[in-house]
Amino acid sequence: MQILAFNGSPRKKGNTSSLIAAILEGARSKGAVTTEVRLHDIDMKGCMGCLSCRTDIGKCKQKDDLSPYLEKIKSATGVVIGCPIYMYRISGQMKLLVDRMYSLYANLPQGGYKSMVPAGKTYALVVSQGADNADLYQKSIRYLAGMTGSGLGMKEVGRIVHVDSHQQPAQRNKNLMDFAFTLGTKMLEI
Ligand SMILES: Cc1cc2nc3c(=O)[nH]c(=O)nc-3n(C[C@H](O)[C@H](O)[C@H](O)COP(=O)(O)O)c2cc1C
């Protein structure tokens, strides 16, 4: 049982990182082996637009540190996506991953897409933002969940939209950290 987390925040001790850590701890408490991919820290390139994934279906031709993790999505039990809001949208690091995930979608002859990720996986989402209004970035959040989770056929176990507060960062909000831990335990319930 493998849970794979992709972290789109560059801050090792930031909100997204703390919440992902709690989710992964919850997953490990149920016997999962967990891996966190810190997108900011790996040598990762954007999609090169070669479209080879339209014919060599499910494979991304770009070879870099992300490549093995893109492949690993297909065999993982569940995937966690965590990302801060930067300039009203997902962070640049996360957008590079989303674009590379195009390789996990195959075109259907009648139009639309089919996921190349085997069915039966779980998915959890963490977003952290500065603005108080948790509804403000729903469009970006729906987009992120759609591209990286539901669009690939994964079952969402839950999501966290955290509002950053210097008085109480995520790691000091016990209820939220407990909730994140519980989400992690659900990642193994397929
Ligand atoms: C470059 C940059 C742009 C940001 N843009 C926004 C924004 O548009 N809206 C917002 O609510 N917060 C914005 N923030 C605040 C972050 O989303 C917020 O601090 C978040 O908690 C950071 O998550 P992290 O601790 O996981 O890195 C921005 C922060 C940075 C560094």
Side-chain angles (χ1 to χ4, degrees):
M1 289 184 298
Q2 171 75 236
I3 301 296
L4 185 58
F6 292 97
N7 186 345
S9 169
R11 300 177 69 219
K12 288 190 170 72
K13 293 184 178 166
N15 300 296
T16 308
S17 298
S18 306
L19 290 163
I20 288 176
I23 292 175
L24 295 184
E25 202 188 329
R28 282 194 299 273
S29 78
K30 294 285 178 183
V33 173
T34 63
T35 306
E36 180 184 4
V37 184
R38 301 184 49 80
L39 298 173
H40 185 73
D41 296 339
I42 62 171
D43 181 10
M44 170 188 175
K45 296 179 180 63
C47 168
M48 54 186 173
C50 67
L51 298 183
S52 79
C53 60
R54 298 305 90 196
T55 44
D56 193 8
I57 296 167
K59 301 270 177 208
C60 178
K61 203 171 179 186
Q62 179 76 269
K63 294 297 169 224
D64 58 12
D65 288 356
L66 183 69
S67 308
Y69 300 116
L70 264 183
E71 272 304 303
K72 224 174 185 175
I73 292 173
K74 296 174 192 161
S75 58
T77 312
V79 173
V80 181
I81 297 284
C83 187
I85 295 290
Y86 275 7
M87 305 302 271
Y88 283 64
R89 298 285 184 267
I90 60 174
S91 68
Q93 292 90 335
M94 182 55 69
K95 183 60 166 62
L96 293 186
L97 171 65
V98 171
D99 290 353
R100 294 281 293 280
M101 280 182 161
Y102 186 46
S103 62
L104 300 175
Y105 291 89
N107 287 83
L108 289 170
Q110 67 272 28
Y113 296 95
K114 172 179 182 277
S115 172
M116 295 313 293
V117 175
K121 298 183 190 303
T122 56
Y123 171 81
L125 181 72
V126 172
V127 172
S128 185
Q129 63 181 59
D132 283 340
N133 182 352
D135 293 331
L136 204 54
Y137 305 112
Q138 279 305 315
K139 201 172 166 189
S140 291
I141 294 168
R142 270 200 305 276
Y143 161 80
L144 183 60
M147 294 296 111
T148 61
S150 55
L152 290 171
M154 299 182 204
K155 182 188 153 217
E156 185 173 315
V157 296
R159 62 177 68 179
I160 293 172
V161 179
H162 167 259
V163 172
D164 189 24
S165 148
H166 296 298
Q167 280 73 43
Q168 198 183 49
Q171 60 268 40
R172 281 204 253 133
N173 182 338
K174 189 176 177 321
N175 287 344
L176 189 62
M177 295 299 279
D178 288 349
F179 179 70
F181 182 94
T182 306
L183 276 191
T185 64
K186 290 184 180 166
M187 304 248 2
L188 286 310
E189 293 168 11
I190 306 166

